[in-house]
Amino acid sequence: MFTGIIETLGQVLTREAEGTNVHFTIQSAISKELKIDQSVAHNGVCLTVVKVENDTHTVTAIAETLEKSNLDNLVAGRKINLERCMQMNGRLDGHIVQGHVDQTAVCVKREELDGSWEYRFKYDATAGNVTVEKGSACVNGISLTVVHSAADEFSVFIIPYTFEHTNLHAVNVGDNVNLEFDIIGKYVARLINR
């Protein structure tokens, strides 16, 4: 489990294919503190650490993960949001995040608002996922509050700290992001649709 509060940005150093899997080696401020078998969210995707060396760690993404997330777009030099799993005796500062990306979305609006930024994301609504105004959504692993909600899109406002300390500053119109919808909302939607 995660909270959607990004700890640090990592930088992809290498991307190596092995069959249908891809191994990513990432350099970050927390890499040297990680352990093999530890779960870490990478742009909101829960991946297992398979190697730690100095200030780098390596994770493996399987074909299904690459198909359902934006990790397949990662190349050397890209910045990636990182969060270690939450401790059960700690605060839940964001919201409950599983690290299981539901689908991707396309950024259709990015506007600077004199001190904050508005982002609007459009997604395929046929998967049955929903957002609600003032509810939570996880974008590239970041816990955000939904400001405007429609059947197939939603918008969020970003404060300067989040803009500077996550990879949202690099997201432009046309870019794909990972989405994990609120776990409570998913269960309610599933029950109603039965």
Side-chain angles (χ1 to χ4, degrees):
M1 290 290 195
F2 304 92
T3 66
I5 304 299
I6 303 305
E7 282 189 75
T8 191
L9 282 170
Q11 181 171 340
V12 177
L13 294 183
T14 63
R15 171 197 172 111
E16 297 177 33
E18 181 181 17
T20 59
N21 296 339
V22 174
H23 307 289
F24 295 101
T25 298
I26 295 154
Q27 182 178 45
S28 78
I30 64 170
S31 292
K32 62 182 172 278
E33 301 171 25
L34 301 178
K35 296 182 175 122
I36 292 173
D37 285 341
Q38 188 170 357
S39 295
V40 178
H42 295 72
N43 272 1
V45 180
C46 179
L47 296 172
T48 301
V49 175
V50 297
K51 181 179 179 184
V52 177
E53 190 173 71
N54 300 321
D55 63 347
T56 69
H57 69 277
T58 303
V59 292
T60 302
I62 63 172
E64 181 174 345
T65 302
L66 296 168
E67 290 170 14
K68 291 189 175 178
S69 71
N70 68 2
L71 295 186
D72 203 26
N73 298 329
L74 289 179
V75 294
R78 283 272 176 96
K79 298 288 187 182
I80 188 166
N81 294 328
L82 299 175
E83 180 192 359
R84 287 177 280 192
C85 59
M86 66 183 259
Q87 296 178 338
M88 294 307 288
N89 63 347
R91 290 188 179 95
L92 180 59
D93 290 325
H95 72 281
I96 297 171
V97 177
Q98 294 182 297
H100 303 155
V101 170
D102 293 304
Q103 62 187 101
T104 58
V106 176
C107 178
V108 293
K109 179 180 182 182
R110 172 186 160 157
E111 182 180 355
E112 187 174 355
L113 302 171
D114 193 26
S116 64
W117 288 261
E118 179 184 2
Y119 285 84
R120 181 169 285 273
F121 301 104
K122 188 171 189 65
Y123 60 93
D124 179 4
T126 61
N129 294 308
V130 296
T131 60
V132 294
E133 291 183 9
K134 307 304 180 257
S136 297
C138 195
V139 177
N140 273 0
I142 309 162
S143 175
L144 297 171
T145 301
V146 175
V147 178
H148 300 292
S149 177
D152 62 351
E153 62 182 36
F154 67 96
S155 63
V156 294
F157 291 110
I158 308 299
I159 63 171
Y161 183 89
T162 304
F163 185 83
E164 294 165 13
H165 291 89
T166 69
N167 65 6
L168 273 182
H169 63 263
V171 172
N172 293 300
V173 171
D175 290 344
N176 284 329
V177 296
N178 291 330
L179 294 183
E180 181 180 330
F181 294 87
D182 180 68
I183 186 68
I184 297 169
K186 286 192 278 191
Y187 279 110
V188 170
R190 175 78 49 95
L191 289 171
I192 289 172
N193 290 331
R194 284 188 177 175

